[in-house]
C-alpha cells in the first residue's frame, strides 16, 4: 500500500532523514519507534506532503505521490493525525472534527461519517459545543483522531497519540486504533514514544535512529530484541502494561 524508498529530507541545510526505506501492506499497523529527535515526525510530515523530500520515492496505492499536495494525498486516502493534536483552540469540537472532511462535498456522506464517529466515541456527544481549548489532553486527542478519521482514510498516519496522556488513557487510545484496524481494516503508520505499547499492538515495526532505520521486524521480535529492550523498553511509566 505504501512504499517509502530511500527517502532523504532536510530542514534547511541539515539532513534529517537519511535514505529511509519502509513499507506498509494494506490492513497492517506498522510502528516506528525512536528517541526524541530521531526524525519520526519528519517522516510522517514527508509522507503527508507537508515537507518535500530531497531524494527518494513515495508510492501510495501504486502511484508515485512525491509531487502530490497534502490535499491530493488526503483525497487518495492518506490522513495525518499530527503530533500535539494541532486543534483550532477557539473553534468548537464539532467544527474541529468537521474540518477533517473539508474536501468532501457530499454533505450526506459527511454527516453519516460524523454520526458513525459519535457512535464510536460516545464521550464526544457532550463535548461537541465546547471550545477545543477547554478540553483535557485526552479529550483533545480523541478529537484530533476523529478529525483525521473524518476523511475516511485508507491509511492513518498517527503521530504520538499518547503524548501527555496517562498510561491508562494511552491504552484506551491504542485499543481504539486496534479496533479500527480490525473492524474497518484501517491501515496505520504509528509513531510512538511508548515503545512497549506500540510494539504490542503492531504487526511490524521499524526502529529509527538519527534519521536511519536501524532495525525492523515483527512487534514481538523487537519486544524481545536486546538492543530494543535496552534502549526503548525501560521501566517506569510503562509498568502498567506489565501487570496485565
Ligand atoms: N522546523 C524545524 N526546523 C529545523 N529543524 C527541525 C524542525 N523540526 C524538527 N527539526 C529537527 O529535526 C530532527 C528530527 O525532528 P523530529 O520532530 O522529526 O523528531 P521526532 O523523532 O519526531 O522527535 P520526538 O520524539 O521528540 O517527537 C530534530 O533534530 C529536530 O530538532
Ligand atoms: Mg515527533
Amino acid at each position: 500500500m505504501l512504499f517509502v524508498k530511500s527517502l532523504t529530507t532536510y530542514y534547511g541545510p541539515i539532513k534529517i532523514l537519511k535514505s529511509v526505506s519502509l513499507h506498509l501492506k494494506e490492513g497492517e499497523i506498522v510502528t516506528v519507534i525512536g528517541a526524541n529527535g530521531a526524525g519520526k515526525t519528519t517522516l510522517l510530515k514527508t509522507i503527508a506532503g507537508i515537507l518535500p523530500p530531497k531524494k527518494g520515492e513515495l508510492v501510495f496505492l501504486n502511484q508515485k505521490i512525491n509531487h502530490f499536495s497534502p490535499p491530493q494525498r488526503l483525497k487518495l486516502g492518506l490522513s495525518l493525525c499530527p503530533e500535539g493534536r494541532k486543534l483550532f483552540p477557539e473553534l468548537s469540537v464539532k467544527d474541529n472534527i468537521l474540518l477533517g472532511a473539508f474536501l468532501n462535498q457530499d454533505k450526506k456522506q459527511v454527516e453519516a461519517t460524523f454520526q458513525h464517529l459519535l457512535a464510536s466515541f460516545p464521550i464526544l456527544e457532550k463535548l461537541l459545543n465546547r471550545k477545543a481549548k477547554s478540553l483535557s489532553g485526552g479529550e483533545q486527542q480523541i478529537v484530533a483522531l476523529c478529525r483525521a478519521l473524518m476523511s475516511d482514510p485508507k491509511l492513518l498516519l498517527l503521530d504520538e497519540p499518547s503524548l501527555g496522556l496517562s498510561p491508562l488513557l494511552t491504552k484506551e487510545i491504542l485499543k481504539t486504533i486496534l479496533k479500527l484496524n480490525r473492524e474497518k481494516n484501517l491501515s496505520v503508520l504509528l509513531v510512538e514514544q511508548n515503545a512497549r505499547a506500540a510494539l504490542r499492538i503492531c504487526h511490524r515495526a521499524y526502529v529509527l535512529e538519527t534519521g536511519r532505520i536501524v532495525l525492523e521486524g515483527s512487534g514481538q521480535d523487537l519486544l524481545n530484541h536486546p538492543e530494543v529492550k535496552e534502549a526503548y523498553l525501560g521501566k517506569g511509566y510503562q509498568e502498567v502494561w506489565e501487570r496485565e
Side-chain angles (χ1 to χ4, degrees):
M1 178 179 232
L2 176 76
F3 287 97
V4 173
K5 299 179 188 169
S6 308
L7 200 67
T8 298
T9 302
Y10 283 71
Y11 271 119
I14 305 167
K15 201 190 236 186
I16 306 293
L17 297 181
K18 298 156 189 162
S19 200
V20 168
S21 295
L22 57 83
H23 70 275
L24 180 147
K25 291 179 233 157
E26 194 185 337
E28 272 191 320
I29 299 178
V30 171
T31 191
V32 177
I33 60 170
N36 292 118
K40 305 180 298 297
T41 297
T42 306
L43 174 64
L44 292 197
K45 281 184 174 173
T46 311
I47 297 172
I50 295 165
L51 284 173
K54 191 103 169 186
K55 285 188 202 148
E57 205 174 62
L58 287 169
V59 177
F60 181 59
L61 296 173
N62 301 318
Q63 281 191 75
K64 188 173 170 183
I65 58 163
N66 283 49
H67 299 294
F68 283 34
S69 67
Q72 285 174 319
R73 294 181 201 206
L74 186 63
K75 223 170 190 171
L76 282 183
L78 259 180
S79 181
L80 171 68
C81 184
E83 184 176 18
R85 295 129 203 173
K86 306 280 191 306
L87 299 179
F88 291 90
E90 297 294 336
L91 291 187
S92 69
V93 164
K94 184 172 182 183
D95 287 345
N96 266 285
I97 294 174
L98 288 176
L99 272 173
F102 78 103
L103 286 175
N104 194 341
Q105 303 293 328
D106 184 340
K107 283 191 174 157
K108 272 193 182 156
Q109 197 183 51
V110 170
E111 181 60 23
T113 309
F114 182 65
Q115 290 303 331
H116 191 78
L117 287 173
L118 283 186
S120 307
F121 299 92
I123 185 187
L124 284 176
E125 192 81 54
K126 66 180 194 323
L127 301 177
L128 286 178
N129 296 318
R130 296 250 305 266
K131 283 190 178 180
K133 68 177 183 186
S134 74
L135 267 49
S136 76
E139 290 165 346
Q140 287 189 23
Q141 187 59 57
I142 290 167
V143 174
L145 183 60
C146 288
R147 179 181 58 187
L149 293 173
M150 269 309 290
S151 61
D152 208 4
K154 298 189 175 77
L155 171 56
L156 177 67
L157 306 171
L158 187 53
D159 197 349
E160 304 271 10
S162 76
L163 196 76
L165 304 190
S166 71
L168 279 177
L169 202 48
T170 300
K171 195 166 159 185
E172 282 309 310
I173 295 266
L174 294 183
K175 266 188 183 169
T176 306
I177 304 303
L178 204 52
K179 194 162 171 250
L180 288 166
N181 171 258
R182 286 186 180 151
E183 291 177 3
K184 303 208 140 229
N185 201 33
L186 177 70
S187 308
V188 184
L189 185 57
L190 170 69
V191 157
E192 250 303 327
Q193 287 264 340
N194 190 334
R196 187 183 303 275
L199 291 175
R200 283 201 176 162
I201 69 158
C202 74
H203 297 101
R204 290 185 308 105
Y206 296 86
V207 179
L208 189 67
E209 243 175 55
T210 54
R212 288 182 208 283
I213 301 285
V214 293
L215 276 174
E216 64 174 286
S218 70
Q220 199 54 46
D221 285 350
L222 293 195
L223 275 169
N224 294 324
H225 195 287
E227 283 170 34
V228 174
K229 276 184 171 173
E230 169 81 25
Y232 303 105
L233 303 177
K235 293 214 179 295
Y237 78 104
Q238 290 170 348
E239 272 177 350
V240 68
W241 291 83
E242 312 231 83
R243 286 202 292 271
E244 289 207 321

